[in-house]
């Protein structure tokens, strides 16, 4: 085992050292251009995919050289247990990936922390380990794709993306990454056998191989099917988002409508005789929209950022970057990079209660239950709005112009709140009135307020998840009088814009896998303010019929495929039952794992003739 490990290290050491040098150079070039650890997840995603692609290519090349029959026999037929052969190759490859990907990242962070005033937190080092684990997972996927008897096994590359791409704590995602690598190591181990074309032997090997493959096929079908369906709708001119005129009475039409037009449509559905009078006032009314701006808040030691947590203070020429270790901003000079100290709640080192969202170029910070404004004279953060526990900010409408200070409206997970005008930007706003949210907070899309002569008309639009199978969208119109008393005027139902099978595609394709893959969203804290429980969602009869049809066809396909195989009768029954329960992904997994005999081989078996070795 030791000799095989050293042999693999000697084989790739030069390539790993060159890759490490190039990688370190690129990291320093990027860090000279921008704050690498303050980039948002979209840029980090591109970098992560590059690391994953490098790992997958490495694994495919390494085992592509071994899969030749003579070399495969040379590798597997040696006086070593199979697990020691696998361990030697895997450990050597992990070491090469650590040298090429992990070590340059660690060096870059250590040098940045020691030589500059930039923010480098402890969890940033764990992010480098996470990236190394991701590349190792991709290496295992590339290895299995080369060893599998079917080219369809390449869908396994989707598994690390499905399991490891969540905006949660870096420590949590490191544990998820380790579990993913262990799962993929198991499937790669069971694929390394003298006869690469033989199916996995034993229940554990079959389960360890089948589950990741089914998850990979599930997402491959979802993405390919989703893109294909949308492409067909575009070609047919029926795609709601690709049409110049949205479907009448639908959610997309409501989203596209201008504020006054949307309120007018809601008033048209009202039975109150005064609705026509209020509608006539709309052209001259002041209309204020409140949109969903905070669908999630940063979590502590976050893997990547949804939006940059840094801002520029022009008077002091300072860039302030948020540090999770100190829970305060750390400053550095824009041009010289000299340290400028900390900026916490009190203007010094007092920590914030939670990582904030930087808003209005740093003049406002939004926390889940609090809004803070920056007092540039006192150089401290002043609370201007506080919510009771269990209530989270979804959207704000604030103005901090020097001429007129207004904190107008706030939308939370429970209420819509209107504030009184304040004398200064640092004064805490008082509530003018509030309306309980007339719908599910996960479905609210926007709120429009029209200020009329005798009160306000408030329009709520719900239905942001109808494209993912949520119930019907609805527009709720309410009137608030001068005393702050609210009454509902109309509740206008909205049509679904997409075909039913498209909206429920994630569920009917495989209800068990859909429920299984919802677990990471339930178990990981991703700071979401509007979580959607898609597992408990009610499904229409058409979706149930589609799911049942797909399951029956999958079971029928499994029976047809297995009748020409050497699988024992009991195993055939298990496979057909699994296809009936899980659906199409299980059938595709069966095609990869179990070989179907050719007609010639079946004829020889039927005649009792001997088979070639």
């Amino acid at each position: 085992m030791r000799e095989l490990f050293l042999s693999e290290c000697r084989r790739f050491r030069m390539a790993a050292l060159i890759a490490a040098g190039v990688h370190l150079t690129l990291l320093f070039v990027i860090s000279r251009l921008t704050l690498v650890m303050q980039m948002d997840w979209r840029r980090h995603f591109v970098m992560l995919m590059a690391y994953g692609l490098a790992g997958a290519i490495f694994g495919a090349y390494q085992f592509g050289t071994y899969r030749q029959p003579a070399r495969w026999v040379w590798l597997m037929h040696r006086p070593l247990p199979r697990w020691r052969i696998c361990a030697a190759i895997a450990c050597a490859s992990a070491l090469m990936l650590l040298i090429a990907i992990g070590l340059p990242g660690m060096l870059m962070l250590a040098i940045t922390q020691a030589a500059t005033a930039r923010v480098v937190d402890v969890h940033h080092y764990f992010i480098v380990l996470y990236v190394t684990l991701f590349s190792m997972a991709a290496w295992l996927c590339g290895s299995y794709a080369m060893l599998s008897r079917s080219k369809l096994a390449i869908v396994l590359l989707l598994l690390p993306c499905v399991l490891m791409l969540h905006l949660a704590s870096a420590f949590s995602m490191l544990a998820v990454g380790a579990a993913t690598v262990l799962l993929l190591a198991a499937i790669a181990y069971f694929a390394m056998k003298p006869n690469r074309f033989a199916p996995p032997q034993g229940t554990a090997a079959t389960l360890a191989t089948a589950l990741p493959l089914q998850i990979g096929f599930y997402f491959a079908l979802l993405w390919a099917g989703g893109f294909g369906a949308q492409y067909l709708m575009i070609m047919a001119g029926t795609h709601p988002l690709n049409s110049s005129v949205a479907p009448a009475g639908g959610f997309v039409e409501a989203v596209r409508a201008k504020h006054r037009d949307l309120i007018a449509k809601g008033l048209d559905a009202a039975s109150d005789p005064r609705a026509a009078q209020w509608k006539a006032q709309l052209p001259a009314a002041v209309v204020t929209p409140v949109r969903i701006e905070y669908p999630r808040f940063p979590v502590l030691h976050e893997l990547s950022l949804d939006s940059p947590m840094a801002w520029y203070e022009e008077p002091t020429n300072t860039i302030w970057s948020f540090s999770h270790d100190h829970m305060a901003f750390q400053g550095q000079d824009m041009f010289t990079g000299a340290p400028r100290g900390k900026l916490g709640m009190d203007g010094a080192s007092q920590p914030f209660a939670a990582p904030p969202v930087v808003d209005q170029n740093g003049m406002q910070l939004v926390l889940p239950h609090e809004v803070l404004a920056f007092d540039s004279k006192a150089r401290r953060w002043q609370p201007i709005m506080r919510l009771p526990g269990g209530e989270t900010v979804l959207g704000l409408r604030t103005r901090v112009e020097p001429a007129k200070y207004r904190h107008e409206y706030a939308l939370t997970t429970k209420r819509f709140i209107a504030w009184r005008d304040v004398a200064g930007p640092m004064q805490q706003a008082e509530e003018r009135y509030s309306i309980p949210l007339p719908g599910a907070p996960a479905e609210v899309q926007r709120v429009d307020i029209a200020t009329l002569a005798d009160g306000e008309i408030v329009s709520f639009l719900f239905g942001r998840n109808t494209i993912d199978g949520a119930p019907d969208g609805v527009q709720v119109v309410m009137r608030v009088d001068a005393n702050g008393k609210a009454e509902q005027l109309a509740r206008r139902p909205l049509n679904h814009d997409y075909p039913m099978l498209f909206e429920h595609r994630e569920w009917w394709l495989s209800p068990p896998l859909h429920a299984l893959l919802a677990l990471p969203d339930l178990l990981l804290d991703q700071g979401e303010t509007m979580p959607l429980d898609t597992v408990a969602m009610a499904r229409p009869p058409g979706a149930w019929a589609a799911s049942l049809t797909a399951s029956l066809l999958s079971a029928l396909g499994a029976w047809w495929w297995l009748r020409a195989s050497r699988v024992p009768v009991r195993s055939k029954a298990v496979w057909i039952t699994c296809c009936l329960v899980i659906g199409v992904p299980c059938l595709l997994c069966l095609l990869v794992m179990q070989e179907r005999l050719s007609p010639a081989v079946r004829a020889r078996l039927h005649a009792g003739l001997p088979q070639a070795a």
Side-chain angles (χ1 to χ4, degrees):
M1 178 179 174
R2 179 173 174 273
E3 287 73 17
L4 182 57
F5 170 79
L6 294 176
S7 170
E8 288 297 306
C9 290
R10 284 193 293 269
R11 187 181 173 200
F12 294 106
R13 63 185 176 187
M14 187 55 67
L17 290 174
I18 293 174
V22 173
H23 183 201
L24 186 60
T25 304
L26 288 176
L27 286 178
F28 276 117
V29 170
I30 295 174
S31 68
R32 293 293 297 173
L33 301 176
T34 184
L35 302 174
V36 178
M37 305 315 295
Q38 293 294 331
M39 293 194 304
D40 61 28
W41 67 265
R42 298 158 191 84
R43 298 180 182 180
H44 283 161
F45 175 78
V46 174
M47 297 176 68
L48 188 65
M49 288 301 106
Y51 293 129
L53 183 62
I57 291 175
F58 176 34
Y61 171 78
Q62 189 175 11
F63 282 90
T65 58
Y66 279 131
R67 73 197 297 259
Q68 300 169 12
R71 293 191 177 186
W72 190 249
V73 170
W74 169 82
L75 177 67
M76 299 303 298
H77 291 79
R78 59 180 62 206
L80 275 179
R82 181 160 61 107
W83 73 268
R84 299 188 72 175
I85 299 175
C86 299
I89 296 177
C91 290
S93 302
L95 180 61
M96 297 300 106
L97 289 173
L98 185 62
I99 292 173
I101 294 177
L103 192 58
M106 291 287 185
L107 281 175
M108 190 274 288
L109 286 178
I111 295 172
T112 302
Q113 187 174 20
T116 71
R118 294 183 176 186
V119 171
V120 177
D121 292 331
V122 172
H123 76 279
H124 291 152
Y125 291 93
F126 286 86
I127 291 175
V128 175
L129 294 178
Y130 163 85
V131 171
T132 309
L133 279 178
F134 188 85
S135 61
M136 186 65 192
W139 175 85
L140 289 164
C141 293
S143 305
Y144 178 77
M146 294 304 295
L147 296 177
S148 175
R149 53 172 292 275
S150 173
K151 295 178 181 177
L152 292 175
I154 198 170
V155 298
L156 197 65
L157 283 166
L158 296 176
L159 188 70
C161 300
V162 172
L163 298 181
M164 296 180 67
L165 298 186
H166 298 280
L167 284 181
S169 162
F171 306 120
S172 302
M173 292 313 300
L174 194 64
V176 173
T180 304
V181 168
L182 289 177
L183 181 62
L184 289 169
I187 188 174
Y189 167 73
F190 291 123
M192 283 192 65
K193 50 187 179 296
N195 182 7
R196 293 191 299 106
F197 296 93
Q201 300 298 319
T203 304
T206 303
L207 288 176
T209 306
L211 182 60
L213 279 176
Q214 290 178 39
I215 294 175
F217 278 120
Y218 174 77
F219 274 93
L221 289 172
L222 268 186
W223 288 345
F227 280 121
Q230 295 201 59
Y231 180 75
L232 290 177
M233 284 190 280
I234 290 173
M235 294 299 292
T238 59
H239 197 294
L241 299 178
N242 190 254
S243 304
S244 56
V245 179
F251 177 73
V252 173
E253 182 194 55
V255 170
R256 287 183 178 179
K258 295 182 178 178
H259 310 296
R260 287 182 176 80
D261 296 340
L262 182 60
I263 297 174
K265 282 182 176 291
L267 289 175
D268 287 340
S271 59
D272 193 305
R274 298 168 294 177
Q277 177 186 347
W278 293 324
K279 183 179 177 181
Q281 297 182 38
L282 283 178
V286 175
V287 178
T288 308
V290 179
R291 299 185 180 278
I292 300 298
E293 298 176 81
Y294 314 105
R296 69 178 300 277
F297 282 94
V299 297
L300 190 61
H301 304 304
E302 199 166 39
L303 183 67
S304 185
L305 305 178
D306 199 9
S307 59
M309 297 179 71
W311 56 284
Y312 173 61
E313 186 183 10
E314 187 174 0
T316 60
N317 198 35
T318 303
I319 296 178
W320 295 102
S321 304
F322 189 78
S323 167
H324 287 249
D325 286 352
H326 301 95
M327 292 299 287
F329 290 92
Q330 286 186 206
Q332 67 172 117
D333 188 90
M334 175 74 173
F335 300 116
T336 65
R340 291 295 178 83
K342 296 179 183 176
L343 186 62
M345 275 287 293
D346 60 350
S349 57
Q350 182 183 358
F352 291 94
V357 173
V358 178
D359 206 357
Q360 297 194 13
N361 194 29
M363 292 295 102
Q364 178 174 282
L365 299 182
V366 183
L367 283 79
H369 313 296
E370 195 174 35
V371 180
L372 310 173
F374 184 60
D375 188 342
S376 55
K377 294 181 180 177
R379 298 199 58 73
R380 58 174 297 162
W381 299 93
Q382 182 70 33
I384 59 173
M385 187 189 79
R386 280 178 175 159
L387 297 173
E391 199 170 2
T392 305
V393 179
L394 295 179
L396 286 173
R397 180 74 181 185
T398 59
R399 295 180 186 174
V400 290
E401 294 94 346
K404 191 174 185 180
Y405 308 113
R406 304 189 68 179
H407 310 303
E408 295 177 303
Y409 301 105
L411 179 64
T412 75
T413 51
K414 292 185 177 179
R415 296 180 295 162
F416 172 74
I417 307 171
W419 307 101
R420 299 184 187 279
D421 291 348
V422 293
M426 297 300 114
Q427 182 178 348
Q428 187 161 345
E430 294 182 2
E431 186 175 312
R432 183 158 57 92
Y433 69 83
S434 68
I435 304 174
L437 211 57
E443 295 298 322
V444 63
Q445 175 68 21
R446 81 185 211 203
V447 180
D448 296 287
I449 307 98
T451 304
L452 307 180
D454 55 348
E456 294 181 353
I457 302 294
V458 184
S459 166
F460 296 87
L461 180 62
F462 296 92
R464 62 185 290 131
N465 294 303
T466 52
I467 189 174
D468 294 319
D472 299 342
V474 65
Q475 180 190 5
V476 179
V477 180
M478 307 187 78
R479 176 180 178 269
V480 183
D481 62 19
N483 297 320
K485 183 180 179 182
E487 60 174 330
Q488 180 173 312
L489 298 177
R491 193 175 186 89
R492 185 171 72 98
L494 303 175
N495 301 328
H496 285 254
D497 297 299
Y498 295 88
M500 181 272 297
L501 291 181
F502 180 81
E503 292 184 349
H504 295 269
R505 62 194 182 283
E506 294 185 2
W507 181 81
W508 68 259
L509 181 59
S510 177
L513 290 179
H514 174 260
L516 176 67
L517 293 172
L519 284 178
D521 291 333
L522 295 176
L523 299 177
L524 295 172
D525 179 13
Q526 302 182 60
E528 293 185 356
T529 57
M530 309 166 70
L532 179 66
D533 186 1
T534 58
V535 177
M537 192 180 292
R539 305 293 174 178
W544 281 95
S547 177
L548 184 61
T549 303
S551 295
L552 290 175
L553 291 177
S554 300
L556 185 63
W559 169 81
W560 175 80
W561 184 267
L562 291 172
R563 66 193 292 266
S565 69
R566 296 176 177 175
V567 177
V569 176
R570 186 175 177 182
S571 298
K572 287 182 180 177
V574 172
W575 270 114
I576 293 173
T577 304
C578 289
C579 288
L580 187 63
V581 173
I582 299 175
V584 180
C586 187
L587 174 62
L588 296 176
C589 174
L590 170 66
L591 305 188
V592 171
M593 294 178 60
Q594 298 293 343
E595 183 183 11
R596 179 178 169 84
L597 302 178
S598 66
V601 174
R602 279 183 282 160
R604 292 181 69 86
L605 287 174
H606 184 70
L609 298 176
Q611 300 298 308

